[in-house]
Amino acid sequence: MGTVPPLSYSGFRAYSECPLRWKLMYIDRLPETPRGYFSFGRSIHSALEELVKPVAERSPAALTVVPGGKVQRTLRDFDEAPAEPEPASAGPGAAIMNLEQLLEVYRRVWVSEGYLSPEDEKRNFDLGAELLRRYHALFQAAPPNAVAVEQHLDAEIDGIRIHGIVDRIDETPKGGLEVLDYKTSKELSWQDARTSDQLTLYQLLVEKNYPKAVEALTLYHFRTLTPLRTEPRSVEEVGDLSTRLGEVVDGIRSDVHEPRPGPYCTRCDFRAICPEWKEVPTAERRNVEDLVERYADLKRQGEGLRQEMEAVASELHAVSDRLGVHRLPGRGAIVYRRKETHWVFPAEQVLPVLQDAGLLPRVSRLDSDQVARLLQDSKVPVDVRRSLKSRGSRQAEWALRFEGNGRRRTSKDD
Ligand code: SF4
């Protein structure tokens, strides 16, 4: 794949969970089955957007968004050019729609697909209306100092383009920014807010776009009307997310789209076409069963042989040590004992070099033998090979080689 589209939080999470699912969603664009909880969340988000947007637009520090979701002005513009004085009637409170208007908006934006039954849909609709009533009362009593709503933001971090739509940005009493994301899920904890990658990504986006500091990150649990407010992420935490974003982009660029089965398979729409779950056709079943049984038998025999060979090799090493002899003659073969050296590379030492040189895709699980092969590869720049070499060490161990029946082998062959 050439260029990688800007990575959103949803795309990042989808790829991290399962690269194949990401491909089916974002490249093949296969539709997902509508689900009631997604529809419920979309409906609440849309109603809140219409409630809060007029307040944000009237704020002296507001961002103005043009159709298409592009940022027209930034906070920096407001800092450089002081805003016109607000008319006496302006202010957050003056712009708030009343409850009836809010419920009218809610009815208009309600998404009714994906519910289990008309009763299920009605139950959810009534729940949303009740939550909006309570939220409206809180909102009216103490309007937030919102400065942006449903804000589309883009940024580039270490060559990775990221994109996000931030539910709400408030100005804090100290003049910094608070990033909020509404959640309509049933359960939500402080730990979720503390570890949310989504909030970390939004902090990155906001910091890249505005000159003001992010002072708080909040998941707003709408079912309990509770703001789960946390400190902004540390430099290390932001760096950790950047590294994982980079790994995802590397995987996408390298066309790595293997299925990664896990707990999310239960709610995946693509099980019928996923190689991990697709059923063997009936006509092929017998043949496949025979092959599987034969393979399992051979694996068991192979494991038994491997253990036996290790035991015999260990006896040969002991005899060789005891007699001080390295050439051990048999009846039809000869075993030689040789000291062989091989490279050992500590993963944490070579990881940054491989990352910087874009060589990670060639080294699965940071295997030392694979890193050693890079040292022989003339296409790898000399300074990279030198740097890798300086981080590894050579270790020696005894190996057995044998000659017999016209073939020379080592004990490592097996
Ligand atoms: S069923 Fe599981 S492994 Fe297969 S595509 Fe879906 S999430 Fe990935």
Side-chain angles (χ1 to χ4, degrees):
M1 172 178 285
T3 52
V4 178
L7 202 57
S8 66
Y9 169 70
S10 312
F12 165 69
R13 193 179 70 177
Y15 190 94
S16 304
E17 287 178 352
C18 174
L20 176 60
R21 184 160 163 264
W22 178 88
K23 176 181 176 287
L24 296 172
M25 287 168 71
Y26 290 88
I27 302 293
D28 301 341
R29 300 203 167 271
L30 299 187
E32 287 192 282
T33 308
R35 290 188 169 81
Y37 50 84
F38 286 143
S39 298
F40 182 72
R42 275 164 57 201
S43 307
I44 295 289
H45 272 75
S46 300
L48 291 177
E49 179 181 356
E50 293 202 29
L51 171 69
V52 187
K53 189 171 262 180
V55 174
E57 284 172 349
R58 292 175 79 99
S59 164
L63 302 171
T64 305
V65 178
V66 294
K70 295 283 179 285
V71 175
Q72 188 179 43
R73 291 190 289 171
T74 68
L75 289 176
R76 190 182 286 112
D77 300 323
F78 286 95
D79 282 349
E80 286 165 0
E84 291 292 313
E86 286 288 306
S89 61
I96 296 174
M97 64 173 68
N98 65 37
L99 178 60
E100 263 323 300
Q101 289 170 317
L102 175 62
L103 294 177
E104 182 50 41
V105 168
Y106 179 55
R107 279 189 283 275
R108 173 165 50 79
V109 299
W110 177 254
V111 182
S112 66
E113 61 183 11
Y115 291 99
L116 302 174
S117 62
E119 294 73 32
D120 181 39
E121 181 181 348
K122 174 156 185 345
R123 208 170 25 250
N124 277 281
F125 179 87
D126 291 346
L127 171 67
E130 177 56 27
L131 290 172
L132 284 171
R133 261 186 213 104
R134 293 187 200 173
Y135 183 78
H136 186 267
L138 293 175
F139 193 83
Q140 207 167 28
N145 199 5
V147 292
V149 173
E150 293 290 317
Q151 187 70 300
H152 287 245
L153 296 175
D154 293 285
E156 190 164 315
I157 293 143
D158 300 335
I160 303 161
R161 291 182 301 146
I162 56 173
H163 174 79
I165 307 172
V166 182
D167 284 347
R168 200 174 100 194
I169 305 172
D170 287 0
E171 193 175 50
T172 67
K174 284 194 215 157
L177 298 175
E178 176 177 358
V179 177
L180 289 98
D181 193 68
Y182 301 119
K183 292 288 177 211
T184 52
S185 49
K186 285 186 180 149
E187 303 288 337
L188 204 65
S189 68
W190 286 102
Q191 186 60 7
D192 292 327
R194 187 68 203 88
T195 58
S196 160
D197 281 338
Q198 189 175 15
L199 286 180
T200 313
L201 186 81
Y202 289 172
Q203 175 178 330
L204 255 166
L205 281 166
V206 170
E207 284 176 344
K208 285 277 176 183
N209 280 276
Y210 307 128
K212 298 195 173 186
V214 171
E215 292 181 348
L217 297 174
T218 300
L219 287 184
Y220 192 97
H221 189 224
F222 200 71
R223 286 177 188 251
T224 56
L225 304 180
T226 307
L228 301 171
R229 188 169 288 119
T230 65
E231 296 284 310
R233 304 291 190 254
S234 65
V235 173
E236 290 74 25
E237 287 167 320
V238 171
D240 170 63
L241 179 68
S242 300
T243 303
R244 287 184 287 128
L245 286 167
E247 287 165 2
V248 164
V249 169
D250 286 346
I252 294 171
R253 279 202 187 114
S254 318
D255 281 332
V256 175
H257 297 131
E258 298 310 309
R260 189 178 296 156
Y264 26 80
C265 289
T266 51
R267 58 175 198 277
C268 176
D269 287 322
F270 311 121
R271 281 169 60 144
I273 55 171
C274 170
E276 292 288 334
W277 296 91
K278 209 170 140 186
E279 295 288 342
V280 174
T282 314
E284 290 288 334
R285 206 161 285 168
R286 186 60 193 267
N287 180 34
V288 170
E289 277 172 10
D290 288 348
L291 284 170
V292 167
E293 291 310 314
R294 181 81 185 121
Y295 181 77
D297 272 354
L298 289 170
K299 280 295 276 186
R300 282 191 282 269
Q301 286 173 30
E303 177 58 19
L305 284 174
R306 193 186 61 76
Q307 285 177 8
E308 195 179 334
M309 201 160 75
E310 273 177 12
V312 173
S314 152
E315 275 189 54
L316 280 169
H317 280 301
V319 168
S320 173
D321 271 343
R322 180 161 50 79
L323 302 178
V325 174
H326 283 183
R327 183 175 169 281
L328 303 164
R331 279 183 284 279
I334 300 173
V335 168
Y336 297 91
R337 192 171 184 238
R338 296 282 179 267
K339 202 156 228 178
E340 296 187 347
T341 60
H342 58 98
W343 281 100
V344 174
F345 294 97
E348 68 284 359
Q349 299 271 328
V350 291
L351 181 62
V353 180
L354 295 167
Q355 242 165 0
D356 289 351
L359 291 168
L360 267 185
R362 293 183 54 185
V363 184
S364 59
R365 297 191 300 276
L366 289 175
D367 179 82
S368 281
D369 288 344
Q370 287 179 318
V371 178
R373 272 198 284 281
L374 295 176
L375 300 182
Q376 312 299 324
D377 186 341
S378 58
K379 289 191 190 125
V380 175
V382 175
D383 58 324
V384 173
R385 282 187 270 160
R386 204 173 289 138
S387 178
L388 288 171
K389 238 180 206 174
S390 69
R391 286 164 166 78
S393 59
R394 290 191 73 86
Q395 291 187 2
E397 64 179 24
W398 288 111
L400 299 177
R401 293 176 174 276
F402 79 89
E403 278 182 1
N405 302 327
R407 188 159 173 236
R408 185 182 176 110
R409 306 182 65 198
T410 80
S411 62
K412 287 179 152 191
D413 285 348
D414 306 286

